[in-house]
């Protein structure tokens, strides 16, 4: 059965699992697409990105990002609002990139899933 022939309220199993991980990420923290795939032990960054693009609107999508911390193109201002509200560590734009938006400070904001064992045991 292809994704196109699924009932409107049904999600592919992999998509459900990706979205569940996105919901586990604490406010103010982020995981990369690759982190989510590694956490699940399945797929890769592109598969996770595809799931988030197609189905991520109902979960805190701004917490699953690129490894370089760049804000999601087309959603930069909305994501930035969420990051500021949650206190997500950001790196201010440098003088050389005047007018550009900050990036997520990956060293400080990246979540390693440390609560996984606590929530899933």
């Amino acid at each position: 059965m292809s994704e196109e022939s699924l009932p409107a309220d049904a999600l592919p199993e992999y998509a459900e699992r990706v979205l569940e991980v996105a919901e586990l990420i604490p406010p103010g923290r982020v995981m990369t697409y690759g982190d989510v795939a590694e956490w699940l032990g399945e797929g890769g960054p592109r598969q996770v990105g595809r799931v988030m693009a197609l189905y991520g609107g109902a979960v805190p999508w701004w917490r699953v990002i690129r490894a370089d911390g760049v804000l999601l193109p087309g959603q930069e201002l909305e994501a930035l609002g969420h990051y500021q509200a949650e206190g997500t560590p950001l790196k201010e734009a440098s003088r050389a990139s005047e007018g550009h938006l900050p990036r997520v400070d990956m060293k400080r904001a990246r979540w390693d899933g440390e609560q996984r064992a606590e929530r899933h045991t």
Side-chain angles (χ1 to χ4, degrees), residues 16-73:
E16 286 182 19
R17 293 175 58 219
V18 167
L19 298 178
E20 287 172 3
V21 174
E23 290 179 325
L24 292 176
I25 303 168
R29 304 298 298 273
V30 297
M31 289 180 90
T32 68
Y33 299 113
D35 291 341
V36 172
E38 184 178 325
W39 199 85
L40 291 171
E42 180 180 1
R46 289 179 189 225
Q47 289 82 6
V48 171
R50 179 85 173 141
V51 167
M52 294 304 295
L54 292 174
Y55 309 109
V59 299
W61 53 266
W62 58 92
R63 296 182 192 154
V64 182
I65 67 172
R66 293 175 27 171
D68 62 6
V70 170
L71 306 187
L72 182 65

Side-chain angles (χ1 to χ4, degrees), residues 41-108:
E42 180 180 1
R46 289 179 189 225
Q47 289 82 6
V48 171
R50 179 85 173 141
V51 167
M52 294 304 295
L54 292 174
Y55 309 109
V59 299
W61 53 266
W62 58 92
R63 296 182 192 154
V64 182
I65 67 172
R66 293 175 27 171
D68 62 6
V70 170
L71 306 187
L72 182 65
Q75 303 296 322
E76 298 96 338
L77 296 179
E78 186 176 353
L80 184 58
H82 288 293
Y83 297 140
Q84 290 170 334
E86 294 183 356
T88 305
L90 300 172
K91 285 185 172 183
E92 292 301 320
S94 68
R95 289 183 187 197
S97 63
E98 187 174 333
H100 291 117
L101 295 169
R103 293 180 182 210
V104 172
D105 184 339
M106 295 303 291
K107 287 184 181 178
R108 295 176 36 220

